[in-house]
Amino acid sequence: RMLSGYKPKNDVKDSYKVLELEEGCSLDDVRNSYHNLAKKYHPDSSSGMADSRAFIRVEEAYRVVLGDLAAKQKSDSGEEEEDQFKSKSLQHRHYLSFEGVGIGTPSQREKQYMQFRVDRATEQVLEYRQQRLESRYAGSDLSRAQDVRQSKKVKITQAVERLVEDLIQESMAKGDFDNLSGKGKPLQKFSHSPHIDPMTHNLNRILIDNGYQPEWILLQKEIRETIERLRKSIVASRRKLGEPMTLSEQKQWGRVCEQFAEDIRKLNKRVDNFNLVVPILSRQMVHFSTDKEILRARKTYEAVVEKVSDPGTKENGGEEGKRFGWKSSLLRWLKL
């Protein structure tokens, strides 16, 4: 009806009466009244008062009232408000204009419009930050004081550097650096390969000569030393207890195992840190198991106990061999 130039027959006053409104009402009142009447008379609604003819009259009245409000608003505010009413008029389907951005199909225009919005938002953020910085530092005594302090720091640093350079030149003039070992000799390189940067190797050699070690090597050494210390300590704790253990000694052993489990948990955290910094995947370490370590400590303790008891049995066996050796030799002689 809108495209064919259809003009409703109702006049303005009758249209207000159909919508149950009075002249001079607001646009929101017109919309609310139209929505309520549409729900009431629309044929597809579940209302008991559904009537297609009544719904058509309500719709025609709604369009007439919108036109009347648009004309009044146009006479008061101009053509800009007319565009506002037209954009808010009832339509079967709303098509996005994308602010006139993009070409091609609707989906392509939508993607181009989204990129346009991102670029615009980025520009607005940059402008906002620039305004904040300008407002913060423009004509601010605090910023001036900070600039003065920064300039003083720069001047002091430059003065110290000049002083150090003057002292070095003075010492060189006195001959304090004449007795240095290796004076006038080229630095030794790690390798004669042309594919290796000599500067990098010289720096590495200086670091190594002064005792520098990478972080992952120090962590690996610390982990190995810690696990060895824990293993020795739990074996020593087990040796202090009797065999078999009494009830109090079993409780004491349980506390030792709990403390050992806590130490293993802390050690596993160091293992995680080591795996994050180690440059070679094959050098990564696995977590230590508390149960396996306790079982290993028990086996070590049993091996120590057996080693302590074996020398006595061997000595006894040697004495018995000396005691009964002549009998065996006599029997052997008789057989011959």
Side-chain angles (χ1 to χ4, degrees), residues 12-76:
V12 179
K13 294 183 179 180
D14 294 338
S15 299
Y16 277 105
K17 290 181 180 180
V18 171
L19 295 178
E20 300 177 358
L21 297 172
E22 296 181 357
E23 295 185 8
C25 60
S26 62
L27 183 61
D28 294 334
D29 295 336
V30 175
R31 291 173 180 168
N32 294 333
S33 177
Y34 170 72
H35 290 162
N36 295 331
L37 294 175
K39 293 178 182 178
K40 185 177 179 181
Y41 295 114
H42 198 277
D44 297 335
S45 65
S46 59
S47 176
M49 301 180 65
D51 187 1
S52 60
R53 295 181 180 179
F55 176 73
I56 292 174
R57 289 197 300 271
V58 170
E59 187 177 4
E60 292 177 351
Y62 176 66
R63 297 182 185 281
V64 172
V65 172
L66 285 181
D68 181 60
L69 292 177
K72 291 180 180 179
Q73 193 70 19
K74 182 177 179 181
S75 60
D76 295 338

Side-chain angles (χ1 to χ4, degrees), residues 131-143:
Q131 292 176 0
R132 286 191 61 186
L133 292 175
E134 290 177 355
S135 62
R136 181 181 299 177
Y137 293 106
S140 176
D141 296 336
L142 179 61
S143 63

Side-chain angles (χ1 to χ4, degrees), residues 18-270:
V18 171
L19 295 178
E20 300 177 358
L21 297 172
E22 296 181 357
E23 295 185 8
C25 60
S26 62
L27 183 61
D28 294 334
D29 295 336
V30 175
R31 291 173 180 168
N32 294 333
S33 177
Y34 170 72
H35 290 162
N36 295 331
L37 294 175
K39 293 178 182 178
K40 185 177 179 181
Y41 295 114
H42 198 277
D44 297 335
S45 65
S46 59
S47 176
M49 301 180 65
D51 187 1
S52 60
R53 295 181 180 179
F55 176 73
I56 292 174
R57 289 197 300 271
V58 170
E59 187 177 4
E60 292 177 351
Y62 176 66
R63 297 182 185 281
V64 172
V65 172
L66 285 181
D68 181 60
L69 292 177
K72 291 180 180 179
Q73 193 70 19
K74 182 177 179 181
S75 60
D76 295 338
S77 302
E79 296 181 356
E80 294 180 358
E81 297 296 331
E82 182 180 3
D83 296 337
Q84 180 181 1
F85 279 99
K86 287 182 179 180
S87 62
K88 294 182 180 179
S89 61
L90 181 65
Q91 298 178 2
H92 177 66
R93 193 178 290 176
H94 294 275
Y95 292 97
L96 296 177
S97 62
F98 302 112
E99 299 183 14
V101 177
I103 57 174
T105 62
S107 60
Q108 294 174 350
R109 292 188 62 194
E110 183 178 3
K111 292 180 181 178
Q112 297 170 8
Y113 178 64
M114 293 299 294
Q115 185 63 36
F116 167 75
R117 291 184 61 187
V118 171
D119 297 339
R120 184 172 60 184
T122 305
E123 293 177 358
Q124 292 177 354
V125 170
L126 294 176
E127 291 178 359
Y128 173 72
R129 290 180 178 178
Q130 183 178 0
Q131 292 176 0
R132 286 191 61 186
L133 292 175
E134 290 177 355
S135 62
R136 181 181 299 177
Y137 293 106
S140 176
D141 296 336
L142 179 61
S143 63
R144 292 177 183 176
Q146 291 178 354
D147 294 339
V148 171
R149 287 196 296 268
Q150 188 68 24
S151 62
K152 288 182 178 180
K153 290 181 180 179
V154 173
K155 290 179 181 178
I156 291 172
T157 304
Q158 293 177 353
V160 172
E161 291 178 353
R162 287 196 299 269
L163 177 60
V164 172
E165 185 66 24
D166 293 341
L167 292 175
I168 293 173
Q169 295 295 333
E170 183 179 355
S171 298
M172 292 175 63
K174 292 179 180 179
D176 295 339
F177 299 151
D178 293 341
N179 297 327
L180 295 178
S181 60
K183 178 184 178 183
K185 298 179 181 180
L187 294 174
Q188 295 181 359
K189 303 177 182 179
F190 283 127
S191 175
H192 299 286
S193 175
H195 304 288
I196 300 177
D197 182 18
M199 181 61 68
T200 303
H201 283 283
N202 291 332
L203 292 175
N204 291 335
R205 178 162 186 163
I206 293 172
L207 291 174
I208 292 173
D209 292 342
N210 288 273
Y212 172 78
Q213 290 182 349
E215 182 182 3
W216 65 274
I217 293 180
L218 296 177
L219 283 174
Q220 187 180 27
K221 183 179 179 182
E222 181 183 357
I223 290 170
R224 290 176 177 175
E225 292 177 352
T226 304
I227 191 62
E228 290 298 328
R229 178 176 53 82
L230 292 176
R231 288 170 179 172
K232 291 180 181 180
S233 64
I234 193 172
V235 172
S237 300
R238 181 64 185 88
R239 292 183 64 180
K240 291 179 181 180
L241 303 177
E243 182 65 31
M245 291 186 295
T246 61
L247 183 60
S248 60
E249 290 176 344
Q250 290 179 359
K251 292 182 180 179
Q252 186 177 357
W253 174 248
R255 291 192 293 269
V256 171
C257 292
E258 290 178 0
Q259 183 62 35
F260 182 75
E262 180 66 19
D263 295 337
I264 290 295
R265 186 183 64 82
K266 294 179 181 179
L267 184 61
N268 288 333
K269 287 186 177 180
R270 296 183 186 178

Side-chain angles (χ1 to χ4, degrees), residues 264-282:
I264 290 295
R265 186 183 64 82
K266 294 179 181 179
L267 184 61
N268 288 333
K269 287 186 177 180
R270 296 183 186 178
V271 172
D272 293 335
N273 296 333
F274 169 77
N275 292 335
L276 291 176
V277 298
V278 64
I280 306 174
L281 293 178
S282 59

